[in-house]
Amino acid sequence: MTKTEPVQTAFIGCGDMGRHHIRAMLRQLDTTRITVVCEPSQAAYELTKDLFKRANLAPPPNQPDLDRLLADYGNRLDAAFIVTPHAYHHNQAEACMESGLDVLVEKPMVVSAAEAKSLIDTRDRTGKLLVVAFPGSLSPQIRTAVTMLRSGQLGQILTISAIAWQNWRTAFAKTWRQQPDVSGGGFLFDTGAHMLNTVVDLAGEDFVEVAAWFDNRDLAVDVLGTVMGRLASGVLVTLHGCGETIPSCASDVRVFCPNGILRTGIWGERLEVQYPGQEQPSAVEVPPSQGPWEQFLAVRNGQMPNPCPPEVGLRMAHLWDAIRASASQNGMFVRCG
């Protein structure tokens, strides 16, 4: 087997989540090189340098201006990993694909359906790869669940119910996540984005209408949210997000079918099915899990299909647009798309 050269990567955004991904990538030196980073905060860059030093590696240079980075390093790069505030994803992903790079972008992909369509157009025009780093869609649990649901093993989907909760208000107080101009929304679009995406992925079809209510709890963004929706096939869906509770971060998703009840989480943290005659659900065996970057490389190398392409991001963006529109009208039903 011929050994391939490590993928030369631009890492864009070195905040807490960015450094989490960098730690994992530094354990994959046979496949990956972080050639340059793009981080406007000197403090965040210093913490990033420490990660490389502890791994006995020379820290990559930092070019805080992405346009300058692409101009100076573009011909030496293969890919980009974007881990920045939500509102920046569209322009950064577009610029990277236009420069010839394959892109892995953190969740949520974009903040609106218009931006999602724009990235799909850019992907198609440039021929570059675009993968969204949603842990749910990338998990073997959700991929297995999707296969089970599409096969008809459990019968048609009847209803879907999902809930996510976290002490989000206090955990992210005074951070960009609670600033609507860069976050694109509150709890339901931050931690709750995992719920929206996983439900859309499990459903495998578009929402046609929703009714939604937000409670901002005196913040500039939503902290509590409830959504009722209907899919194109008539399937009924409920979504519940609570971002102000005891210290915790958890979820539950249930898909009700005639031949069983499928249970999972918004991050794909488990997969269980309760069949007729069973008093309790039983765990479903799934393949070993891989991290976002490992799967991105596997897709890039043609070893697996894209588990979370921008088309999934577009479905979620249509849903989010409708949720915001309905919540702004105190729960009036809004058509999706």
Side-chain angles (χ1 to χ4, degrees):
M1 181 176 176
T2 304
K3 185 179 185 301
T4 59
E5 292 297 319
V7 175
Q8 302 295 325
T9 306
F11 200 95
I12 303 166
C14 299
D16 290 341
M17 184 55 66
R19 295 193 298 276
H20 165 77
H21 287 300
I22 288 173
R23 290 186 190 95
M25 294 169 73
L26 290 180
R27 297 192 291 269
Q28 302 173 51
L29 295 179
D30 57 329
T31 64
T32 305
R33 292 288 187 277
I34 298 178
T35 308
V36 61
V37 302
C38 182
E39 174 51 59
S41 166
Q42 184 62 33
Y45 179 53
E46 292 299 325
L47 291 172
T48 302
K49 288 168 62 177
D50 288 342
L51 296 179
F52 285 83
K53 290 175 181 177
R54 287 200 292 270
N56 295 315
L57 297 169
N62 178 30
Q63 173 47 262
D65 185 289
L66 179 59
D67 289 338
R68 182 75 177 271
L69 182 153
L70 294 172
D72 292 349
Y73 292 88
N75 60 359
R76 297 164 49 188
L77 297 170
D78 304 307
F81 193 172
I82 298 172
V83 192
T84 56
H86 310 152
Y88 302 151
H89 291 178
H90 171 269
N91 290 355
Q92 291 172 338
E94 181 180 62
C96 289
M97 286 190 287
E98 294 280 10
S99 295
L101 307 185
D102 294 322
V103 173
L104 176 63
V105 60
E106 251 294 350
K107 68 85 194 169
M109 183 177 80
V110 289
V111 300
S112 70
E115 288 190 347
K117 291 175 183 176
S118 173
L119 284 192
I120 289 172
D121 289 345
T122 302
R123 188 265 324 256
D124 293 345
R125 179 166 41 80
T126 62
K128 306 313 297 181
L129 174 65
L130 178 59
V131 180
V132 188
F134 263 113
S137 290
L138 300 182
S139 73
Q141 287 82 2
I142 299 302
R143 300 271 48 87
T144 301
V146 167
T147 298
M148 294 176 69
L149 293 169
R150 300 295 179 274
S151 72
Q153 175 182 337
L154 301 177
Q156 69 183 82
I157 297 175
L158 300 173
T159 64
I160 302 174
S161 177
I163 181 171
W165 64 95
Q166 184 183 16
N167 57 321
W168 182 87
R169 178 186 179 119
T170 53
F172 297 106
K174 299 181 180 179
T175 69
W176 66 263
R177 296 178 188 275
Q178 297 182 6
Q179 300 172 7
D181 56 330
V182 291
S183 66
F187 176 70
L188 204 60
F189 196 61
D190 189 29
T191 303
H194 295 282
M195 176 171 61
L196 304 185
N197 177 80
T198 292
V199 167
V200 164
D201 204 350
L202 291 170
E205 59 175 316
D206 293 330
F207 278 75
V208 293
E209 62 179 350
V210 300
W213 295 264
F214 288 163
D215 187 340
N216 288 17
R217 304 285 289 168
D218 300 321
L219 292 184
V221 294
D222 61 278
V223 178
L224 314 178
T226 297
V227 181
M228 298 187 301
R230 183 168 59 88
L231 302 180
S233 64
V235 171
L236 304 177
V237 180
T238 61
L239 307 169
H240 173 200
C242 181
E244 185 173 1
T245 187
I246 63 173
S248 56
C249 185
S251 72
D252 185 67
V253 180
R254 303 194 185 198
V255 183
F256 296 89
C257 304
N259 302 329
I261 301 171
L262 185 148
R263 298 170 60 174
T264 185
I266 64 174
W267 300 279
E269 59 267 38
R270 64 188 177 279
L271 178 59
E272 302 170 326
V273 175
Q274 186 173 356
Y275 292 102
Q278 287 185 317
E279 292 186 3
Q280 297 293 330
S282 55
V284 177
E285 187 174 335
V286 300
S289 181
Q290 292 182 310
W293 185 252
E294 293 172 282
Q295 291 192 62
F296 171 75
L297 293 183
V299 175
R300 191 172 184 271
N301 293 333
Q303 298 167 334
M304 64 181 289
N306 188 345
C308 197
E311 285 77 8
V312 174
L314 175 59
R315 274 184 173 160
M316 179 193 151
H318 276 310
L319 172 59
W320 178 241
D321 282 354
I323 288 172
R324 283 189 299 184
S326 177
S328 71
Q329 301 174 75
N330 195 32
M332 181 177 290
F333 271 97
V334 170
R335 298 286 297 183
C336 293

